[in-house]
Amino acid sequence: MVTRCAWAEGDPLMEAYHDREWGVPVRDSRLLWEMLMLEGFQAGLSWRTILHRREGFRRAFAEFDPVKVAAFDETDVARLMADPGIIRARSKIEATIAAANLYVEMAWSGESFSDWVWGLAGGAPVVNDGVHVPASTPVSEAISKALKARGFKFVGPVIVYAWMQAVGMVNDHAPGCFRRGEV
């Protein structure tokens, strides 16, 4: 029997996400941005809700291609507001489009989103004890502040910390979880 983090148990999609993705260090700028956007949609909801709609989000947001999303206009916002496959929150939709523009501006200026956020995070994953899992940390607060200064929305310290866990900036797998030593 596989021992995994308790939050992932009982839902095959959550188990697969935990077993293959959660906590694995991500260095791909586009995927880091996608995951940050999905974490922003999670605000006020559960990750389970977002994960079960992730394919709908990918379809609706052009596979999270920042260049394509940056070109979305009011017609696209209306289309997204009518899409039952995603969370239809206008402020989150508009924040994602604005964030795509920010991402594209960084890329066009030669700045790597991955290098920037990993630099803010210290450059390497932090392994925590997996027992005392905080809602936020001084590092997530600093990254949140830096993202907000750039114009990103839905990037408070708690959302940023959840994102840091998801993309492997921190390893909060529980003691005894088979993934703890693997990532």
Side-chain angles (χ1 to χ4, degrees):
M1 174 152 176
V2 173
T3 301
R4 64 177 54 88
C5 297
W7 61 263
E9 295 287 351
D11 177 329
L13 191 57
M14 290 285 281
E15 289 176 1
Y17 170 72
H18 170 275
D19 294 357
R20 296 183 194 127
E21 295 180 59
W22 192 74
V24 176
V26 173
R27 299 286 179 162
D28 175 82
S29 289
R30 195 220 51 84
L31 183 54
L32 284 165
W33 179 76
E34 173 185 340
M35 293 301 291
L36 184 61
M37 296 304 98
L38 289 172
E39 290 290 350
F41 272 99
Q42 181 190 340
L45 303 169
S46 72
W47 181 247
R48 182 183 185 283
T49 298
I50 301 305
L51 188 61
H52 279 268
R53 294 182 183 201
R54 181 164 61 170
E55 291 310 313
F57 276 106
R58 285 177 171 162
R59 178 189 42 73
F61 284 95
E63 300 300 319
F64 284 98
D65 178 330
V67 173
K68 290 179 181 176
V69 176
F72 282 12
D73 59 16
E74 190 55 42
T75 302
D76 293 294
V77 173
R79 172 183 57 81
L80 293 166
M81 287 297 294
D83 189 333
I86 67 168
I87 304 302
R88 295 175 285 184
R90 179 176 287 277
S91 59
K92 293 177 182 181
I93 291 167
E94 291 173 344
T96 300
I97 296 166
N101 281 282
L102 296 168
Y103 178 99
V104 168
E105 287 172 18
M106 289 176 73
W108 284 346
S109 71
E111 189 172 12
S112 162
F113 185 72
S114 177
D115 290 347
W116 182 64
V117 294
W118 273 97
L120 292 168
V126 172
V127 180
N128 291 324
D129 66 13
V131 175
H132 305 96
V133 179
S136 67
T137 64
V139 174
S140 75
E141 291 169 9
I143 294 173
S144 169
K145 185 176 179 180
L147 286 163
K148 287 177 182 179
R150 291 262 179 150
F152 288 86
K153 306 275 190 233
F154 295 98
V155 290
V158 174
I159 289 171
V160 168
Y161 192 75
W163 172 68
M164 292 171 67
Q165 291 173 308
V167 299
M169 290 179 184
V170 293
N171 181 347
D172 278 331
H173 281 281
C177 174
F178 82 99
R179 292 292 285 163
R180 182 168 179 77
E182 292 180 0
V183 299

